[in-house]
């Protein structure tokens, strides 16, 4: 007997890749009008599971039942026909086409055999309006920020008469305001009777948005619980143990200044940015997206130029716009955009982990390959990188495990100053703690850490001092004791141009 409210059901799905059992045995079901959260550690099999529904992969065995009938989903078109739309961890839009063209790709409305551009753009405008995003149907996708890209993906899903909407970590790259907006749209879709599969590593989102949670561990579904389940219980189900302390910061004694930035200015981007980071310190940079945080650290690292000011490492001034000099002086940067800047996707885990250390591992002109391998194996183990072996290509690692590799690479490098830009994006709660512990080890050994994060609890939990940026300036600095959600936000939304003048004025400059 088929249940009219059941949208889809998965029974004992199994999927293997050479040397890897990605899914061992997973059961899952989705009902009309619910948000069903998929929860699991990095590499547990969440993305692989949903790729079985979008037609990207075929299961080795098991059953997929949609609307009461067993189906085989052999490609994107099959999924589309069944009313299943997927928003992937990596987006699928074509950058050089317009928003409207992307929404209607392959099924543009036609008139006398020609694409009816007017009608297409009008329909796109209607869909965009429905998701409440302010973007022109004629804008090129390349020009949109990540939040808007996602809204376009949702608009596209709506245009397909979607009954099942699958979202793989949609909030990983969104600001809290954007998350609120996304949640409103998802709630509306749920009210309209759609079923939503939602993947996230932000546990607080589960109670806020979800109805049910299926927990996947090592490719098996290990439990199904209501979304109101307390977070510590969810963590226990997910990692198989409880986490005592999410932010285990162990303060080290601050020593001499390792990084000194003075009056750094790039016209129109950031202005008069001055701060220092001392040996043993973790300094956090908070601020809203667009405040100029990434731009500043890229200039400090030499990846971008600046117009005025200076950067010095351990008292030695660095040349401007020179990554090589920054590396030699001992600065490392884990970039925000790791796919683009941090990884060689078609190289092995070991090769990627060795990228920065190679120089350090060179003994008398020879590369100490054995030493490198031992170090790589150790850090991969510490971070719990889930892989078939050190030889696995990074491309085939799960999203979170790719991120661990980039971070591991820099943790291995013997940098005096390590700059981390959104270090734990997409990383599961258990692995985050491991990264924090490695940060503790670095500072205990006298290194300095500068960390940008949009995850406010993380900034508050791990920083010894917090710099808050707003509109390209440092709006204020808070000690760990002063820094709270409220004090940081107050500075983040302030207009520092006037504040800075008054502060300078009162000092009699
Ligand atoms: N094409 C592939 N070839 C080999 N192994 C793969 C491939 N795709 C996925 N895997 C492996 O399958 C396992 C599950 O990966 P999956 O991407 O589903 O994890 P996930 O739960 O989505 O993790 P994350 O939270 O990090 O995104 C991982 O061990 C991964 O390395
Ligand atoms: Mg994934």
């Amino acid at each position: 007997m088929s249940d009219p409210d059941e949208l889809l059901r998965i029974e004992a799905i199994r999927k293997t890749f050479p040397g890897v059992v990605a899914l061992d045995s997973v059961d899952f079901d989705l009902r009309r009008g619910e948000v069903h959260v998929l929860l699991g550690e990095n590499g547990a099999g969440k993305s692989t599971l949903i790729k079985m529904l979008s037609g990207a992969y075929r299961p080795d065995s098991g059953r997929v039942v949609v609307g009461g009938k067993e189906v085989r989903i052999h490609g994107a078109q099959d999924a589309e026909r069944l009313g299943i739309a997927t928003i992937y961890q990596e987006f699928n839009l074509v950058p050089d086409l317009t928003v409207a063209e992307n929404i209607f790709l392959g099924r543009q409305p036609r008139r006398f055999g020609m694409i009816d551009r007017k009608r297409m753009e009008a329909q796109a405008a209607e869909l965009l309006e429905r998701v409440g995003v302010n973007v022109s149907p004629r804008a090129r996708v390349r020009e949109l920020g990540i939040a808007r890209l996602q809204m376009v993906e949702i608009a596209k899903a709506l245009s397909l008469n979607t009954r099942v909407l699958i979202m793989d970590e949609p909030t990983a790259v969104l600001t809290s305001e954007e998350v609120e907006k996304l949640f409103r749209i998802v709630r509306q879709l749920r009210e309209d009777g759609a079923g939503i599969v939602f993947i996230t590593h932000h546990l607080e989102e589960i109670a806020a948005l979800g109805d049910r949670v299926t927990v996947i561990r090592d490719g098996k579904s290990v439990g199904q619980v209501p979304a109101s389940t307390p977070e510590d219980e969810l963590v226990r189900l997910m990692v198989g143990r409880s986490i005592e302390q999410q932010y285990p910061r162990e303060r080290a004694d601050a020593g001499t200044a390792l990084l000194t930035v003075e009056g750094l200015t790039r016209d129109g981007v950031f202005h008069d940015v001055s701060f220092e980071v001392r040996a043993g310190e973790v300094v956090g940079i908070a601020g809203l997206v667009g405040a100029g945080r990434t731009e500043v650290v890229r200039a400090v690292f030499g990846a971008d130029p600046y117009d005025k000011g200076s950067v010095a490492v351990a008292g030695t001034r660095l040349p401007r716009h020179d990554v090589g000099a920054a590396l030699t002086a001992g600065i490392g940067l884990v970039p925000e955009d790791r796919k683009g800047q941090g990884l060689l996707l078609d190289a092995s885990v070991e090769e990627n982990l060795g990228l920065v250390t190679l120089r350090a591992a060179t003994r008398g002109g020879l590369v100490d390959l054995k030493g490198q391998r031992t170090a790589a194996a150790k850090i991969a183990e510490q971070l719990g990188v889930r892989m078939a072996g050190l030889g696995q290509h990074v491309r085939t690692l799960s999203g979170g495990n790719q991120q661990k590799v980039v971070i591991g690479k820099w943790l291995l490098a013997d940098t005096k100053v390590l700059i981390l830009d959104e270090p734990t994006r997409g990383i599961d709660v258990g692995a985050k703690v491991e990264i924090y512990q490695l940060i503790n080890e670095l500072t205990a050994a006298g290194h300095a850490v500068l960390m940008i994060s949009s995850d406010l609890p993380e900034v508050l939990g791990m920083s010894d001092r917090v710099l808050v940026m707003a509109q390209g300036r440092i709006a204020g600095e808070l000690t760990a004791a002063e820094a709270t959600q409220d004090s940081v936000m107050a500075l983040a939304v302030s207009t520092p141009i006037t504040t800075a003048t008054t502060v300078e004025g009162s000092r009699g400059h």
Side-chain angles (χ1 to χ4, degrees):
M1 213 180 61
S2 90
D3 171 352
D5 281 337
E6 182 187 274
L7 288 171
L8 69 84
R9 189 167 76 241
I10 285 170
E11 290 170 2
I13 280 278
R14 181 177 171 85
K15 175 72 189 172
T16 56
F17 296 104
V20 187
V21 181
L23 296 176
D24 191 351
S25 171
V26 172
D27 297 316
F28 177 80
D29 72 292
L30 183 71
R31 304 180 66 76
R32 281 171 53 85
E34 78 162 341
V35 175
H36 196 149
V37 177
L38 272 180
L39 184 66
E41 288 179 284
N42 297 132
K46 305 177 297 294
S47 295
T48 307
L49 180 67
I50 59 133
K51 282 178 184 166
M52 228 77 72
L53 296 173
S54 65
Y57 293 153
R58 295 187 203 179
D60 298 350
S61 60
R63 272 165 37 102
V64 179
V65 178
V66 177
K69 283 195 211 72
E70 181 165 357
V71 294
R72 284 173 211 284
I73 307 173
H74 285 173
Q77 265 133 27
D78 285 351
E80 198 177 307
R81 214 162 9 82
L82 292 165
I84 301 173
T86 305
I87 300 177
Y88 288 106
Q89 235 166 329
E90 295 89 34
F91 296 128
N92 259 353
L93 301 172
V94 186
D96 284 320
L97 295 182
T98 67
V99 167
E101 285 164 341
N102 265 287
I103 292 178
F104 292 105
L105 195 63
R107 50 192 180 95
Q108 294 95 334
R110 283 172 192 273
R111 196 162 175 243
F112 309 125
M114 306 271 286
I115 290 178
D116 186 348
R117 201 157 262 289
K118 259 221 179 95
R119 189 145 67 96
M120 179 172 84
E121 281 168 5
Q123 286 175 3
E126 218 178 282
L127 290 163
L128 293 165
E129 162 106 44
R130 224 173 116 193
V131 297
V133 57
N134 178 23
V135 37
S136 157
R138 291 191 196 165
R140 299 224 169 253
V141 156
R142 177 183 298 294
E143 297 151 14
L144 304 180
I146 247 159
R148 287 163 148 215
L149 276 180
Q150 197 159 56
M151 297 301 166
V152 172
E153 291 263 21
I154 295 173
K156 181 168 181 175
L158 291 181
S159 76
L160 291 167
N161 279 324
T162 299
R163 274 174 301 168
V164 175
L165 180 62
I166 301 170
M167 307 179 94
D168 196 351
E169 295 188 41
T171 57
V173 290
L174 298 185
T175 63
S176 43
E177 253 167 69
E178 291 163 348
V179 169
E180 270 315 308
K181 192 161 174 186
L182 178 73
F183 280 14
R184 278 199 293 277
I185 296 168
V186 171
R187 288 188 187 113
Q188 183 60 51
L189 288 170
R190 167 170 64 189
E191 218 160 281
D192 297 343
I196 295 104
V197 181
F198 196 88
I199 300 178
T200 183
H201 287 295
H202 297 286
L203 299 182
E204 73 281 1
E205 293 172 2
I206 295 175
L209 186 69
D211 298 296
R212 282 192 294 165
V213 183
T214 287
V215 183
I216 301 185
R217 199 194 307 158
D218 294 332
K220 292 189 192 72
S221 38
V222 294
Q224 200 203 81
V225 292
S228 55
T229 307
E231 282 184 21
D232 51 352
E233 177 64 24
L234 291 173
V235 169
R236 208 160 28 241
L237 279 168
M238 178 175 155
V239 304
R241 62 187 159 87
S242 43
I243 289 175
E244 300 295 316
Q245 213 185 348
Q246 181 66 55
Y247 303 106
R249 174 71 188 137
E250 285 160 16
R251 222 138 275 171
D253 288 331
T256 55
L258 287 185
L259 177 67
T260 310
V261 174
E262 272 172 6
L264 210 65
T265 299
R266 182 171 183 191
D267 296 333
V269 185
F270 50 81
H271 307 275
D272 201 17
V273 170
S274 301
F275 63 88
E276 60 177 32
V277 188
R278 293 185 286 160
E281 269 193 316
V282 176
V283 173
I285 311 185
L288 304 178
V289 167
R293 298 170 298 168
T294 294
E295 288 77 4
V296 166
V297 300
R298 283 179 55 83
V300 167
F301 183 60
D304 288 335
Y306 50 85
D307 297 311
K308 272 187 267 171
S310 67
V311 176
V313 173
T316 308
R317 192 166 166 175
L318 295 185
R320 210 172 61 107
H321 201 186
D322 186 343
V323 172
L327 286 170
T328 310
I331 305 189
L333 171 69
V334 175
E336 172 183 41
D337 165 21
R338 284 175 273 268
K339 270 272 164 59
Q341 300 166 25
L343 285 173
L344 298 178
L345 288 174
D346 290 311
S348 69
V349 172
E350 182 182 347
E351 284 165 318
N352 272 282
L353 283 172
L355 281 177
V356 205
T357 17
L358 217 51
R359 250 175 338 151
T362 308
R363 301 256 179 277
L366 290 172
V367 177
D368 176 8
L369 280 178
K370 200 161 157 246
Q372 197 193 323
R373 166 159 298 185
T374 316
K378 185 170 168 229
I379 197 92
E381 152 113 47
Q382 265 176 309
L383 291 172
V385 177
R386 192 158 307 198
M387 55 185 179
L390 283 172
Q392 185 171 349
H393 282 190
V394 163
R395 185 184 294 285
T396 63
L397 291 181
S398 79
N401 283 300
Q402 292 183 351
Q403 313 225 3
K404 291 185 202 170
V405 170
V406 186
I407 291 172
K409 165 180 110 175
W410 284 105
L411 291 174
L412 272 180
D414 195 26
T415 49
K416 291 194 185 83
V417 180
L418 183 60
I419 307 174
L420 304 164
D421 194 352
E422 305 287 358
T424 62
R425 205 177 251 180
I427 290 193
D428 71 52
V429 284
K432 274 185 191 171
V433 180
E434 302 302 324
I435 288 172
Y436 300 146
Q437 256 141 14
L438 288 163
I439 289 177
N440 282 341
E441 281 178 28
L442 281 180
T443 54
H447 301 255
V449 172
L450 179 63
M451 178 175 79
I452 296 180
S453 174
S454 300
D455 183 344
L456 208 42
E458 171 175 277
V459 173
L460 298 176
M462 284 304 292
S463 309
D464 305 332
R465 279 189 294 134
V466 179
L467 306 170
V468 187
M469 280 192 73
Q471 298 176 20
R473 293 176 186 258
I474 295 200
E477 181 186 320
L478 302 164
T479 63
E482 291 163 344
T484 61
Q485 198 112 357
D486 290 339
S487 61
V488 169
M489 280 319 286
L491 284 169
V493 299
S494 65
T495 32
I497 299 168
T498 46
T499 333
T501 346
T502 29
V503 171
E504 273 174 18
S506 68
R507 278 189 194 149
H509 281 279

